[in-house]
Amino acid sequence: MSRKFTTKFLTETEYEKWSKFVSESPTGTIYSLPEYLKILCEITGDQFRILAVFQGSELVAGIALYEVWSKFLPVGISFPHRLLTYHSVVFKEYSTNYISKKRARYAAILEVLINKLLDINYVYLKFNIYYLINDMRSFLNVGWKVIPSYSYLVDIQDIENVWHNIEQNLRRLVNRGIKNGLNFCVDDDFDSFFKLYSNTYQRKGISLYFSENQYKKYYEFLREKNLCQLHQVRLNNNQSVGAFLILTDYNYNTYTVCAGSDNQYFNLGSSAFLRWKSFEYLSTLGYKNNDLTGASLGNVNNFKNQLGGNLITNWSVEKPTHFSYLLYRKLRDFTKFK
């Protein structure tokens, strides 16, 4: 087999092969699946392409590029949407007894991939690298900006160990929720979820990513593909007082991407109860972990930190920005075309 690496954009007929590749790779996530990207682009009107790296005829790596093409610019923009936590390179697992050989192979693949990306007419190019890929030297070597970002990852395979790692204060709140008769459920009640989610964002003064109709379409598409779950905590009168939208992938990873709560019921232990019951439920289904998708400093981070997950370092990599992108941003903000 040739040792030479080559690149090409996959055709839609090759997406099934790519999905299988992602599902078998330790660095593959839901965010690299064509199924997920199609759903997201259906909502946003944007597009995606998959740039693959081959060694001979063997698929060895690739990246799914989320693209925006503006009528104001002749070239595209690739960047991670807010619902693309990881917009990352995916590698085929390379078996060798020598870590030096593995590092050298991955560096060679990244060099080929980066050279191809530099040839594409993007005025802006940025993506978020999954934490299992931790060697950023290839990007730094060509002058790209590399910035760390953080998240908490909770290993839910041993649920007793999760309970042990949760801080005592939260365990107390979980038990309070049980004593107060709170009920955990997995259902399709989108309306209750969205009411809590939108009210939470409103309370914090943050704009939502989508309109209610767009979120509903996003959820329904995901549910149809079995790529999400809605977890809710309810009072005895069936009122939902907390909810999560959780993404699930073929690698048995899960990602809590949207959360909402009614702060009137925090004193019942509703938030801690929902987190714990969610971990417990996902564990019974055989899922490996739950990514809390974000670990910025502040009150929410303090709560996540008490859940006992591992603090993981992801990497944001950004190609030097073309001056025309700055003009694009000004036009976009002014005309609201995006």
Side-chain angles (χ1 to χ4, degrees):
M1 180 184 290
S2 169
R3 301 298 298 172
K4 184 179 179 182
F5 296 114
T6 58
T7 62
K8 77 164 190 173
F9 283 104
L10 299 182
T11 64
E12 196 162 342
T13 59
E14 296 172 296
Y15 284 175
E16 186 175 345
K17 179 180 180 180
W18 171 257
S19 289
K20 185 173 185 295
F21 176 78
V22 171
S23 68
E24 292 174 349
S25 168
T27 55
T29 71
I30 186 174
Y31 303 104
S32 292
L33 291 174
E35 298 93 314
Y36 182 80
L37 291 160
K38 282 180 181 178
I39 290 166
L40 190 57
C41 289
E42 179 73 22
I43 304 303
T44 62
D46 298 323
Q47 66 182 49
F48 74 93
R49 290 188 291 173
I50 297 169
L51 179 60
V53 181
F54 288 85
Q55 183 176 30
S57 60
E58 182 185 16
L59 176 60
V60 295
I63 186 168
L65 298 165
Y66 182 87
E67 298 179 332
V68 175
W69 294 89
S70 164
K71 61 185 177 181
F72 293 97
L73 287 172
V75 289
I77 298 162
S78 182
F79 68 104
H81 188 275
R82 289 179 180 177
L83 290 172
L84 272 177
T85 301
Y86 302 115
H87 186 232
S88 183
V89 180
V90 181
F91 286 108
K92 178 180 174 66
E93 179 71 3
Y94 179 52
S95 298
T96 175
N97 292 328
Y98 301 104
I99 189 65
S100 57
K101 288 187 175 181
K102 181 180 287 191
R103 280 196 294 258
R105 177 182 173 86
Y106 289 168
I109 291 172
L110 273 180
E111 183 179 353
V112 170
L113 196 59
I114 289 169
N115 286 337
K116 178 62 178 178
L117 290 170
L118 289 171
D119 286 340
I120 302 172
N121 287 331
Y122 290 131
V123 295
Y124 183 73
L125 176 58
K126 177 181 178 181
F127 38 88
N128 294 336
I129 303 293
Y130 194 46
Y131 80 102
L132 291 176
I133 303 170
N134 55 21
D135 186 351
M136 298 294 107
R137 291 174 296 175
S138 296
F139 296 101
L140 291 168
N141 194 47
V142 292
W144 288 33
K145 186 187 296 183
V146 176
I147 301 171
S149 63
Y150 301 94
S151 187
Y152 289 111
L153 192 71
V154 182
D155 183 344
I156 57 176
Q157 294 174 96
D158 182 350
I159 200 64
E160 289 184 11
N161 192 52
V162 175
W163 180 253
H164 175 75
N165 287 332
I166 292 175
E167 284 195 15
Q168 175 61 33
N169 180 53
L170 290 194
R171 293 204 300 267
R172 179 180 58 80
L173 289 172
V174 172
N175 289 326
R176 182 188 294 179
I178 294 170
K179 289 178 182 176
N180 284 320
L182 297 180
N183 299 300
F184 170 79
C185 63
V186 180
D187 58 32
D188 295 327
D189 183 4
F190 173 85
D191 292 339
S192 291
F193 154 75
F194 188 79
K195 181 180 178 182
L196 290 166
Y197 179 57
S198 59
N199 286 347
T200 298
Y201 266 59
Q202 215 170 43
R203 193 166 67 236
K204 295 178 178 180
I206 305 172
S207 298
L208 292 175
Y209 308 153
F210 296 146
S211 69
E212 182 175 357
N213 287 339
Q214 286 175 314
Y215 266 111
K216 189 166 189 176
K217 188 184 267 190
Y218 173 73
Y219 165 68
E220 288 175 346
F221 283 165
L222 286 168
R223 183 185 60 182
E224 184 182 335
K225 296 293 184 180
N226 198 29
L227 291 172
C228 78
Q229 296 178 10
L230 268 184
H231 293 187
Q232 308 211 43
V233 55
R234 296 182 181 274
L235 305 177
N236 283 333
N237 64 6
N238 208 38
Q239 178 186 346
S240 179
V241 296
F244 296 149
L245 176 60
I246 293 178
L247 303 183
T248 59
D249 68 20
Y250 305 148
N251 284 348
Y252 284 85
N253 303 310
T254 68
Y255 315 82
T256 302
V257 292
C258 300
S261 58
D262 189 330
N263 60 359
Q264 295 181 70
Y265 298 95
F266 284 172
N267 62 346
L268 297 182
S270 58
S271 290
F273 175 86
L274 178 56
R275 288 283 183 183
W276 165 247
K277 288 298 182 180
S278 180
F279 292 156
E280 201 174 40
Y281 177 77
L282 292 169
S283 179
T284 63
L285 296 180
Y287 286 103
K288 297 183 296 186
N289 55 59
N290 181 237
D291 191 328
L292 305 182
T293 59
S296 58
L297 297 176
N299 291 336
V300 174
N301 168 71
N302 291 337
F303 179 76
K304 290 181 179 181
N305 187 36
Q306 293 176 52
L307 293 167
N310 294 316
L311 183 67
I312 58 173
T313 305
N314 306 303
W315 299 97
S316 173
V317 296
E318 183 179 332
K319 175 185 171 183
T321 304
H322 193 275
F323 75 92
S324 59
Y325 178 68
L326 302 176
L327 176 61
Y328 163 84
R329 288 291 299 268
K330 289 181 180 178
L331 287 169
R332 185 186 68 177
D333 293 342
F334 179 73
T335 61
K336 305 295 184 184
F337 69 86
K338 281 302 296 175

